Amino acid sequence: MKNTPSDPVPLLQELIRCRSVTPAEGGALTCIENLLSAHGFRCHRLTFREDGTPDVVNLFARIGTGSPHLCFAGHTDVVPEGPAENWTYAPFAAEIADGFIYGRGACDMKGSVAAFAAAALDYLRGAGGLTGSISFLITGDEEGPAINGTAKVLDWMRANGHIPDHCIVGEPSSVDRLGDTIKIGRRGSMSFLVRVEGRQGHAAYPHKADNPIPKLARLIDRISTAKLDGGNAHFDPSTLAVTSFDVGNPAGNVIPSRAEAKFNIRFSTEHSFASLQTWVDTQISVVRAEVGGAWSVSVSKGADAFITTAGPFVSLVQGAVAAATGIVPRLSTSGGTSDARFVKNFCPVLEFGPTNATIHQVDERIAIDELRATQSVYGRIIADYFSSAL
């Protein structure tokens, strides 16, 4: 690259031009690897696979060998662009217009990757030496199944002595203005599919059939109006959303033999996978005792709820963001899931990045001023981290 490595703009443009729609690497990890290795980082290209899932290429890069060890975790895979003709500028062209860089991944989250890389290189040049370590965990599987990405890289890191002391995940956490929000945790996610078997029959002779629809409808009414909890100091009340009710029946004069429904629970630390499964099983038992039927349920465990408790690391990052932006960020657990759910099993983790107004949208973009300001915030976090005694 002709430009200085501390300028995140050309780096982000280069990353956006890599068509790394999950799980394709698209050259994005090669770009980061070339940049970091040229500045002393030891890079490891890690490819993982599992039956029934695509191969995923990941990157781990580290400079330094000791503690304190600060890791930046992120991803260069992006969601599909959708109809390209709906974009003002080609989604992988990284055009600059009116002070913005346009392109898929500009905010989520190639912008954060570029900003942190630039901030880290600036720090290394200016510090005159590093006491401790800086590392990058960059996956190509965050927007996909998340099976062959961060979780397996972390296992490799543990096996090879690379677990950090603390981690920043570069998710676009800011809502209205850069610096207004830090994610200190996430709700858990758990999905259920409930099926009721009946007996098919003619709608004119319902007594000769066994209609599963009213049975399942009674359960759905019961659980969709239930209060799971009242929330707590860090989490809003848990929620249950019914996402599907299907009988696979195109005929208007036939009682179907089967009905099934899907629902998702987003839950706080008031619950666990086991407690929620027990709760759902109890609701089914109550309804089954009332109306009978042959019931079955299958469960998909998405992510457990977690919180990074208040302490020196949270205070340091919150203070650095406030010093760099003039805003005291709120500490939030809102939103869906992220790869922080894997990192939290190994070290304290926070999420911080630019505003998220256009993520996954047509004309995804980031203001150049915001990109450079994000670099400045990361730079302040790095400097404060290595000058403190966490």
Side-chain angles (χ1 to χ4, degrees):
M1 296 174 59
K2 294 181 181 180
N3 301 79
T4 61
S6 60
D7 185 358
V9 173
L11 176 56
L12 176 55
Q13 288 182 291
E14 187 173 349
L15 288 173
I16 289 173
R17 289 167 184 153
C18 298
R19 198 179 188 283
S20 53
V21 176
T22 192
E25 187 269 335
L29 292 179
T30 300
C31 171
I32 295 298
E33 181 179 6
N34 289 342
L35 174 66
L36 295 179
S37 62
H39 289 83
F41 283 80
R42 185 177 180 186
C43 297
H44 305 267
R45 186 71 70 98
L46 304 168
T47 301
F48 298 108
R49 58 184 58 87
E50 190 169 307
D51 290 346
T53 62
D55 290 3
V56 173
V57 182
N58 308 277
L59 177 67
F60 177 76
R62 180 175 179 178
I63 190 167
T65 58
S67 292
H69 176 182
L70 178 65
C71 178
F72 173 84
H75 63 92
T76 52
D77 63 316
V78 298
V79 298
E81 69 274 27
E85 62 271 18
N86 292 342
W87 286 67
T88 304
Y89 304 97
F92 297 102
E95 295 284 351
I96 293 177
D98 301 320
F100 289 86
I101 304 174
Y102 284 77
R104 178 58 81 225
C107 295
D108 190 16
M109 61 176 289
K110 292 178 176 180
S112 295
V113 173
F116 198 95
L121 296 183
D122 275 350
Y123 176 79
L124 292 170
R125 283 199 307 273
L130 177 65
T131 303
S133 306
I134 298 174
S135 66
F136 288 78
L137 189 176
I138 311 296
T139 182
D141 192 30
E142 198 274 347
E143 299 290 7
I147 293 172
N148 295 316
T150 296
K152 290 186 176 178
V153 176
L154 284 162
D155 288 339
W156 178 92
M157 289 166 63
R158 177 169 54 190
N160 289 274
H162 291 299
I163 292 300
D165 297 303
H166 301 90
C167 182
I168 299 287
V169 177
E171 286 292 336
S173 64
S174 301
V175 179
D176 298 313
R177 183 179 168 190
L178 177 69
D180 62 13
T181 305
I182 295 171
K183 298 292 178 84
I184 58 170
R186 292 277 187 159
R187 297 181 298 172
S189 175
M190 191 173 188
S191 295
F192 294 81
L193 185 154
V194 178
R195 180 178 293 119
V196 182
E197 303 288 347
R199 185 173 64 254
Q200 183 175 313
H202 197 294
Y205 305 98
H207 59 286
K208 295 184 177 181
D210 180 11
N211 194 338
I213 296 176
K215 297 179 174 66
L216 185 56
R218 185 171 297 194
L219 174 72
I220 294 303
D221 178 65
R222 180 183 181 89
I223 64 174
S224 63
T225 56
K227 182 179 179 180
L228 293 167
D229 58 65
N232 58 32
H234 297 294
F235 290 88
D236 291 334
S238 301
T239 61
L240 184 152
V242 179
T243 58
S244 174
F245 193 113
D246 185 45
V247 298
N249 180 22
N253 61 350
V254 175
I255 293 170
S257 63
R258 171 185 294 176
E260 61 182 35
K262 297 177 183 178
F263 56 93
N264 175 264
I265 299 177
R266 297 298 171 116
F267 59 94
S268 71
T269 48
E270 299 294 310
H271 301 279
S272 66
F273 291 135
S275 69
L276 288 172
Q277 183 154 2
T278 298
W279 181 81
V280 170
D281 289 343
T282 299
Q283 307 311 306
I284 292 173
S285 295
V286 170
V287 174
R288 183 170 51 216
E290 295 173 350
V291 300
W295 297 71
S296 63
V297 59
S298 60
V299 182
S300 175
K301 299 176 181 178
D304 205 356
F306 75 94
I307 188 80
T308 297
T309 56
F313 182 54
V314 174
S315 297
L316 183 146
V317 174
Q318 190 174 31
V321 172
T325 65
I327 303 171
V328 178
R330 60 180 173 271
L331 304 178
S332 171
T333 58
S334 63
T337 60
S338 77
D339 277 2
R341 70 188 188 272
F342 304 121
V343 180
K344 57 90 175 174
N345 295 324
F346 296 85
C347 70
V349 57
L350 298 175
E351 299 174 50
F352 178 77
T355 53
N356 54 31
T358 63
I359 61 173
H360 292 203
Q361 295 183 12
V362 167
D363 283 347
E364 182 178 351
R365 60 196 178 275
I366 186 170
I368 291 175
D369 287 347
E370 182 178 8
L371 177 64
R372 289 179 171 148
T374 303
Q375 174 191 359
S376 296
V377 175
Y378 286 145
R380 184 62 182 259
I381 292 172
I382 295 169
D384 290 356
Y385 184 83
F386 286 104
S387 65
S388 69
L390 288 183

